[in-house]
């Protein structure tokens, strides 16, 4: 069984402090940058503010630098989110081209001391390499690696780490993780129903429309009138499977929520962190869950994830 | 002149279309392996299509390792048989391995799950504007010199894409690079999944729903939900922009503007229509425009 790191999102310096205390081993974060695409899409793959709460998804550059320093003082790695997907280098907008600004954004992140850069567009990855960026690159789940050969595709491009899409069985994850030289990350908590990078149900991109998380929405089936979350794969939590995940060989698990309350996100990290320690001590799943319930406020968790049957990496029967 | 292409979704019905007047007949699927003919059966069908005077296109989805070898071996079989065809690839691993093994055909297109734009969403206009690079943002992601250089090394020279009002700039660029651009003129793809929402909704085993899932399930967003389960889902989204059709593991929307775009375009290699879209489409009108 291998210790896995928890990669947690931060959207403030206070969030960084909370995540360190909660046991995060890695952060991922972006910072405010003047260049906007469209009405507010940023290089971090999100708008600056959440549509729902108007909570910032990125830090100020000063707080970002402080957070990187704080992380490093505590042995925590930091990845810069530069994973905006589906970008091209169209040439007809003469001033301030997207790619030049993208490079500047990444360089500022590197200047702040980040340990890796998360990239979600193949052209951006190639561009950074061409421009001599030597900071290790993490391939975002936006690039949808589905098999060993697709991982080799990115190995050849000189990346360091790959984030797998959600819908794999634990056996498949083990097969992928144990047959590559790259670091492998999977989603630990929350996630998408569709393959990111192939999904146009975009949200948190400063759209003025409140779309929520569209794959979780309730849809009316035209033919029957039934209202149902038909696109929702019902997968959020991998706490009960964490011992098995730690046997697959993956290096880290990612939790998502750059737009969520830092306290809430830190509480998720705390639960996973405690579970990792207890599994490493050889505790059973029942003992681990029992201790988490004793030590942490688990009511919400139990209500939503356990009673809602929102477990990850269990149900493969609808996987193609 | 652009070609008209019929994508036969269920390859078991291939024979029914051999006498039809399409330039290209396509088999396979961009989302689901269960629709992809494999091995000797695929080779036999491909030969029938070619012998009936059509060009043959083989469409392949993203695949996990469980299906990888069967698909790769079919591509090898086509190679050994010296089949003249176009392959549509949606999986970078298949592209990587088939290219390294030198078994790809001369015509290699990237499919709609790779040839994306930010317009492949129901509400693209919500986050782009005229001032800040509207067309630049909405141009296909493959209209990119960095990707062009890499994919050319892998033998790629075409793409299958959705057709939008702002598509022509990117298409022109790819055309100038010598790529063949095929566009889908009816449903445009919104999102691809591995876990099949259709099979889950119908409580069917994946594979058992082949055929029936092509009827599609028309859905419209009724209540907004998010990660915060304590916050109730709310009713406040305009229904007119969130109508989708779920076909198997892929979510689509109907494209309403294709006829005008067909008239304007001179850079399109082929226009693609799926057999299950024929009832909604005036093919004679499209032929007249071509």
């Amino acid at each position: 069984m291998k210790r896995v790191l928890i990669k947690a999102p931060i959207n403030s310096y206070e969030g960084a402090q909370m995540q360190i205390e909660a046991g995060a081993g890695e952060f991922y974060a972006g910072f405010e940058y003047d260049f906007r695409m469209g009405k507010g899409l940023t290089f971090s793959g999100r708008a600056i503010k959440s549509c729902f709460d108007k909570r910032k998804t990125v830090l100020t550059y000063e707080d970002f630098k402080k957070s990187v320093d704080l992380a490093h003082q505590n042995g925590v790695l930091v990845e810069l989110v530069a994973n905006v997907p589906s970008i091209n280098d169209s040439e007809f907008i003469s001033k301030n081209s997207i790619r030049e600004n993208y490079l500047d954004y990444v360089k500022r992140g590197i200047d702040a001391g980040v340990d890796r850069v998360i990239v979600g567009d193949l052209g951006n990855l190639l561009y950074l390499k061409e421009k001599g960026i030597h900071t290790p690159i993490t391939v975002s789940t936006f690039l949808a690696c589905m098999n060993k050969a697709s991982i080799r595709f990115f190995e050849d491009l000189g990346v360091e780490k790959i984030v797998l899409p959600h819908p794999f069985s634990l056996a498949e994850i083990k097969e992928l993780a144990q047959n590559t030289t790259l670091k492998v990350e999977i989603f630990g908590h929350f996630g998408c129903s569709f393959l990111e990078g192939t999904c146009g149900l975009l949200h948190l991109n400063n759209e003025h429309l409140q779309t929520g998380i569209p794959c979780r929405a309730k849809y009316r089936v035209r033919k029957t009138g039934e209202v149902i979350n038909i696109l929702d794969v019902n997968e959020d939590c991998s706490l009960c499977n964490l011992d098995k995940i730690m046997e697959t060989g993956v290096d880290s698990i990612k939790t998502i929520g750059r737009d969520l309350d830092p306290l809430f996100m830190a509480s998720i990290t705390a639960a996973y962190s405690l579970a990792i320690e207890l599994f490493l001590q050889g505790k059973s799943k029942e003992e681990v869950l029992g201790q988490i319930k004793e030590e942490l406020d688990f009511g919400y968790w139990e209500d939503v994830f356990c009673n809602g049957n929102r477990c990850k990496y269990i149900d493969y029967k609808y996987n193609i | 002149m652009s070609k008209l292409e019929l994508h036969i979704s269920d390859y078991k019905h291939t024979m029914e279309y051999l006498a039809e007047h399409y330039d290209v007949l396509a088999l396979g699927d961009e989302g689901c392996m269960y629709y992809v003919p494999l091995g000797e059966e695929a080779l036999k069908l491909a030969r029938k299509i070619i012998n009936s005077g059509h060009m043959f296109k083989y469409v392949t989805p993203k695949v996990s390792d469980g299906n990888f070898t069967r698909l790769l071996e079919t591509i090898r079989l086509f190679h050994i048989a010296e089949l003249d065809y176009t392959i549509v690839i949606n999986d970078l691993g298949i592209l990587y391995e088939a290219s390294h093994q030198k078994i790809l055909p001369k015509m290699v297109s990237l499919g709609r799950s790779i040839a994306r734009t930010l317009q492949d969403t129901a509400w693209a206009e919500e986050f782009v504007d005229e001032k800040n690079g509207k067309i630049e943002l909405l141009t296909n992601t493959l209209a990119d010199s960095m990707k062009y250089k890499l994919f050319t090394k892998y033998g790629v020279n075409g793409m299958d894409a959705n057709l939008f009002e702002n598509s022509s700039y990117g298409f022109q660029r790819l055309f100038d690079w010598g790529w063949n651009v095929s566009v889908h003129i009816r449903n445009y793809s919104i999102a691809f999944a591995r876990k099949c929402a259709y099979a889950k909704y119908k409580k069917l085993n994946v594979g058992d729903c082949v055929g029936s899932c092509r009827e599609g399930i028309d859905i419209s967003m009724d209540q907004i939900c998010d990660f915060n389960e304590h916050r109730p889902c709310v009713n406040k989204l305009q229904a007119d922009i969130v109508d989708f059709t779920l076909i198997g593991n892929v979510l689509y929307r109907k494209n309403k503007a294709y006829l005008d775009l067909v008239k304007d375009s001179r850079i399109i290699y082929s226009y693609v229509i799926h057999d299950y879209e024929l009832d909604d489409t005036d093919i004679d009108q499209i032929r007249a425009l071509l």
Side-chain angles (χ1 to χ4, degrees):
Chain A
M1 188 178 285
K2 174 179 169 181
R3 176 182 292 279
V4 293
L5 298 176
I6 302 166
K7 188 169 94 177
I10 59 166
N11 51 20
S12 64
Y13 181 71
E14 292 70 29
Q17 292 173 310
M18 289 179 210
Q19 287 288 2
I20 285 171
E21 199 170 319
E26 295 181 348
F27 292 160
Y28 64 103
F31 55 84
E32 290 179 10
Y33 184 77
D34 279 345
F35 189 77
R36 302 273 196 289
M37 292 170 286
K39 291 177 180 168
L41 180 59
T42 74
F43 294 129
S44 75
R46 290 279 181 253
I48 283 183
K49 287 181 181 173
S50 150
C51 309
F52 265 113
D53 298 337
K54 300 299 173 196
R55 188 189 305 281
K56 281 191 174 180
T57 66
V58 294
L59 295 84
T60 65
Y61 187 62
E62 286 310 307
D63 279 353
F64 182 82
K65 282 198 294 188
K66 273 170 58 185
S67 298
V68 173
D69 291 342
L70 179 71
H72 289 168
Q73 286 159 20
N74 287 277
V76 171
L77 300 173
V78 181
E79 296 191 351
L80 172 68
V81 279
N83 60 341
V84 60
S86 300
I87 291 300
N88 57 75
D89 66 347
S90 303
E91 290 155 343
F92 62 99
I93 294 179
S94 56
K95 59 173 185 176
N96 299 329
S97 86
I98 288 179
R99 280 268 156 75
E100 285 167 16
N101 279 279
Y102 179 79
L103 180 63
D104 184 55
Y105 169 77
V106 169
K107 281 181 171 173
R108 292 195 74 194
I110 292 169
D111 289 345
V114 298
D115 301 284
R116 290 191 202 100
V117 179
I118 310 173
V119 179
D121 176 84
L122 184 59
N124 284 346
L125 194 163
L126 298 167
Y127 186 71
L128 293 181
K129 290 285 179 188
E130 186 178 277
K131 293 296 175 186
I133 297 299
H134 298 300
T135 303
I137 286 176
T138 294
V139 170
S140 162
T141 186
F142 281 132
L143 290 160
C145 285
M146 297 294 291
N147 45 54
K148 291 196 279 283
S150 58
I151 293 178
R152 285 197 293 277
F153 176 89
F154 286 104
E155 274 178 336
D156 280 6
L157 296 177
V159 307
E160 181 171 289
K161 180 178 177 183
I162 196 134
V163 186
L164 295 179
H166 300 267
F168 283 109
S169 70
L170 289 168
E172 287 173 324
I173 291 167
K174 188 172 188 176
E175 181 74 10
L176 293 171
Q178 296 188 352
N179 284 282
T180 178
T181 57
L182 302 185
K183 292 183 184 299
V184 174
E185 180 171 291
I186 62 169
F187 282 78
H189 203 80
F190 288 139
C192 301
S193 296
F194 290 93
L195 295 167
E196 302 95 323
T198 75
C199 179
L201 293 177
L202 299 181
H203 51 90
L204 298 175
N205 286 314
N206 204 38
E207 61 277 7
H208 295 165
L209 203 63
Q210 297 283 20
T211 59
I213 311 295
C215 64
R216 288 168 183 249
K218 292 186 177 169
Y219 288 86
R220 183 174 299 276
V221 178
R222 287 290 176 84
K223 204 168 178 179
T224 63
E226 183 183 9
V227 175
I228 183 174
N229 56 341
I230 189 169
L231 305 180
D232 186 352
V233 300
N234 296 78
E235 292 185 7
D236 279 333
C237 176
S238 61
L239 206 53
C240 292
N241 270 328
L242 201 48
D243 54 341
K244 297 188 188 79
I245 287 172
M246 291 162 74
E247 286 168 355
T248 61
V250 301
D251 299 277
S252 51
I253 58 168
K254 177 182 179 180
T255 63
I256 66 173
R258 274 183 274 163
D259 57 314
L260 299 177
D261 178 0
L263 194 58
F264 172 63
M265 291 312 298
S267 74
I268 287 173
T269 300
Y272 280 92
S273 180
L274 180 55
I276 289 167
E277 294 304 327
L278 295 173
F279 278 128
L280 285 171
Q281 290 168 21
K283 298 276 173 65
S284 69
K285 185 172 84 177
E286 290 69 28
E287 289 172 318
V288 169
L289 287 179
Q291 194 160 337
I292 287 174
K293 282 179 193 177
E294 266 178 35
E295 294 189 22
L296 303 171
D297 179 8
F298 203 67
Y300 163 83
W301 199 300
E302 198 163 25
D303 184 29
V304 173
F305 305 126
C306 306
N307 298 339
N309 294 318
R310 299 194 67 89
C311 305
K312 279 179 178 290
Y313 307 119
I314 286 181
D315 180 10
Y316 316 125
K317 69 178 178 180
Y318 299 116
N319 278 4
I320 291 174
Chain B
M1 194 171 79
S2 301
K3 295 172 174 43
L4 188 59
E5 175 181 331
L6 180 72
H7 189 145
I8 304 165
S9 58
D10 186 349
Y11 61 85
K12 291 193 168 52
H13 295 283
T14 303
M15 306 303 284
E16 296 165 25
Y17 295 99
L18 292 183
E20 298 271 341
H21 296 292
Y22 293 95
D23 302 296
V24 184
L25 290 181
L27 300 181
D29 196 74
E30 60 190 350
C32 178
M33 262 306 283
Y34 290 94
Y35 282 97
V36 181
L38 296 167
E40 290 293 341
E41 185 180 21
L43 182 59
K44 199 172 152 186
L45 291 171
R47 281 183 167 144
K48 281 189 187 301
I49 286 173
I50 292 166
N51 290 340
S52 67
H54 299 92
M55 298 168 82
F56 172 57
K57 195 172 191 178
Y58 188 57
V59 182
T60 64
K62 290 192 188 303
V63 285
S64 63
D65 278 315
N67 285 314
F68 192 90
T69 303
R70 291 194 304 154
L71 184 53
L72 194 71
E73 288 309 309
T74 303
I75 297 168
R76 188 191 316 284
L77 196 63
F78 288 177
H79 174 72
I80 292 166
E82 298 182 348
L83 209 65
D84 184 13
Y85 75 109
T86 300
I87 189 167
V88 178
I89 292 178
N90 280 286
D91 188 293
L92 291 176
I94 287 289
L95 176 69
Y96 179 89
E97 203 57 45
S99 173
H100 276 76
Q101 295 190 21
K102 300 188 185 341
I103 56 174
L104 284 171
K106 285 181 190 151
M107 303 269 280
V108 181
S109 286
L110 296 175
R112 286 198 285 181
S113 79
I114 294 176
R116 304 291 295 171
T117 88
L118 289 175
Q119 200 158 351
D120 297 343
T121 177
W123 38 81
E125 298 298 328
E126 285 291 319
F127 50 82
V128 295
D129 59 23
E130 297 290 346
K131 275 192 301 187
N132 294 314
K134 177 179 178 180
I135 297 174
E136 192 170 24
L137 273 175
L138 295 180
T139 295
N140 196 286
T141 187
L142 293 184
D144 181 338
S145 59
M146 302 304 300
K147 291 172 194 133
Y148 166 72
K149 277 187 268 183
L150 179 75
F151 283 131
T152 299
K153 283 185 200 163
Y154 282 102
V156 175
N157 48 21
M159 75 168 181
D160 268 26
N162 292 325
L163 178 63
F164 298 113
E165 198 178 348
N166 298 300
S167 297
S168 56
Y169 173 77
F171 291 174
Q172 179 70 55
R173 213 167 169 210
L174 290 162
F175 177 76
D176 292 343
W177 290 339
W179 283 32
N180 288 330
V181 176
S182 295
V183 294
H184 293 250
I185 52 180
R186 199 65 187 137
N187 286 327
Y188 71 86
S189 54
I190 299 271
F192 295 73
R194 183 178 180 201
K195 184 171 274 195
C196 181
Y198 181 92
K200 182 167 171 271
Y201 175 64
K202 294 285 187 181
K203 298 184 174 57
L204 293 167
N205 293 324
V206 288
D208 290 350
C209 41
V210 163
S212 68
C213 77
R214 300 293 107 161
E215 293 166 12
I217 301 174
D218 291 330
I219 57 174
S220 56
M221 196 188 284
D222 193 79
Q223 295 171 36
I224 302 165
C225 307
D226 70 2
F227 285 131
N228 190 339
E229 301 283 345
H230 284 328
R231 184 159 45 208
C233 295
V234 292
N235 298 288
K236 58 179 177 183
L237 199 60
Q238 299 97 310
D240 61 327
I241 64 153
V242 284
D243 293 340
F244 302 121
T245 302
L246 179 65
I247 299 176
N249 61 332
V250 184
L251 191 66
Y252 294 93
R253 284 192 87 203
K254 285 189 172 52
N255 203 345
K256 293 169 184 166
Y258 68 90
L259 287 178
D260 288 342
L261 294 164
V262 169
K263 267 191 289 192
D264 290 345
S265 180
R266 290 175 297 279
I267 49 176
I268 306 297
Y269 177 76
S270 67
Y271 292 90
V272 185
I273 190 84
H274 291 246
D275 51 359
Y276 55 82
E277 298 164 338
L278 285 171
D279 288 347
D280 293 335
T281 311
D282 188 338
I283 285 293
D284 290 335
Q285 196 179 357
I286 294 170
R287 281 188 211 280
L289 289 167
L290 295 181

